[in-house]
Amino acid sequence: MSHESSPSPQTSLPKDRELVLKVIPMPADVNANGDIFGGWVMAQVDLAGAVLPARYVRGRMATVAVNQFIFKQPVKVGDILSFFAHISRVGNTSITVQVEVYAERFSAQGQYVKVTEASLTYVAIDAQGKPRPIPREGLSLPGTGS
Ligand SMILES: CC(C)(COP(=O)(O)OP(=O)(O)OC[C@H]1O[C@@H](n2cnc3c(N)ncnc32)[C@H](O)[C@@H]1OP(=O)(O)O)[C@@H](O)C(=O)NCCC(=O)NCCS
C-alpha cells in the first residue's frame, strides 16, 4: 500500500548527501509484474550503504540490521538509479546509514523520483567475525561530537 502514489518528479538531487552508487537495472532483474525485483534493489542498497562506513571501519564489516526499508515507487528496467547516503549514527562498533534512491526514468532524464529509502547498520568485525571498536583517531564522526 503506497501513501505517495503519484509523486511529482523533482529536478535536483540531494546536496547534503553523498552519491555512493549509480546503476541501471536490466531485464534479468524484473519480477512477475515486470518491475524490478525488490530483492535486487535491497542488494544494491546494502552495497551502497556500506561505502561510507568503509571509510571509518578500515577493515572487515558486516551488515547487522536493515532497520527500515521503504519501496516508495516501482523501479523499471532502464531507470538510472542514483544512491545517496549519509551516516546518522556512529556507535562503539556499529555505524548506521540512511540511503535514498532516486530514479531517472528511461524516457525522462533529468527528472528524479525517489523510489526507495532505507536505514541499515553495519558492524566492524575482527578476523574471528566478532565486533571490534571503530577507529576514532583523526576522523570527524557524526554523532560523536568529535
Ligand atoms: C554482526 C555480528 C558480528 C554482531 O555480533 P553481536 O554479537 O550480535 O554483536 P553485539 O550484540 O555486540 O552488537 C554489535 C553492534 O551491533 C549493534 N546491533 C546488534 N544488533 C542490532 C540490531 N538488530 N539493530 C541495530 N544494531 C544492532 C549493537 O548495537 C552494537 O553496536 P554498538 O557497539 O555501536 O553499540 C553478528 O551478529 C553477525 O555475525 N551477524 C551476521 C552478519 C552477516 O552475515 N551479515 C550479512 C547478512 S546477509
Side-chain angles (χ1 to χ4, degrees):
M1 187 166 57
S2 172
H3 295 277
E4 298 177 48
S5 54
S6 301
S8 300
Q10 47 190 86
T11 53
S12 64
L13 291 168
K15 295 182 173 50
D16 57 348
R17 307 278 189 266
E18 183 164 340
L19 178 65
V20 289
L21 178 68
K22 272 188 179 262
V23 67
I24 300 175
M26 291 287 127
D29 306 317
V30 299
N31 62 21
N33 301 327
D35 297 323
I36 297 302
F37 176 50
W40 181 89
V41 177
M42 295 181 86
Q44 307 308 309
V45 167
D46 193 16
L47 291 169
V51 169
L52 299 183
R55 285 186 194 146
Y56 299 110
V57 166
R58 296 186 224 160
R60 299 180 68 194
M61 64 179 176
T63 311
V64 70
V66 177
N67 309 302
Q68 184 183 55
F69 208 105
I70 304 173
F71 297 102
K72 297 172 76 71
Q73 294 293 324
V75 176
K76 313 280 189 185
V77 170
D79 288 352
I80 300 174
L81 300 180
S82 299
F83 295 68
F84 287 82
H86 81 283
I87 291 174
S88 58
R89 176 186 172 276
V90 178
N92 181 35
T93 65
S94 71
I95 296 182
T96 299
V97 182
Q98 313 302 315
V99 179
E100 298 176 1
V101 187
Y102 293 82
E104 277 176 276
R105 300 303 191 191
F106 186 65
S107 55
Q109 309 284 302
Q111 296 184 16
Y112 306 97
V113 177
K114 188 194 275 191
V115 291
T116 295
E117 57 190 35
S119 167
L120 302 96
T121 300
Y122 301 84
V123 177
I125 54 173
D126 62 19
Q128 286 70 47
K130 300 297 181 196
R132 63 177 169 88
I134 293 164
R136 249 64 180 174
E137 62 276 8
L139 290 172
S140 172
L141 295 168
T144 63
S146 59

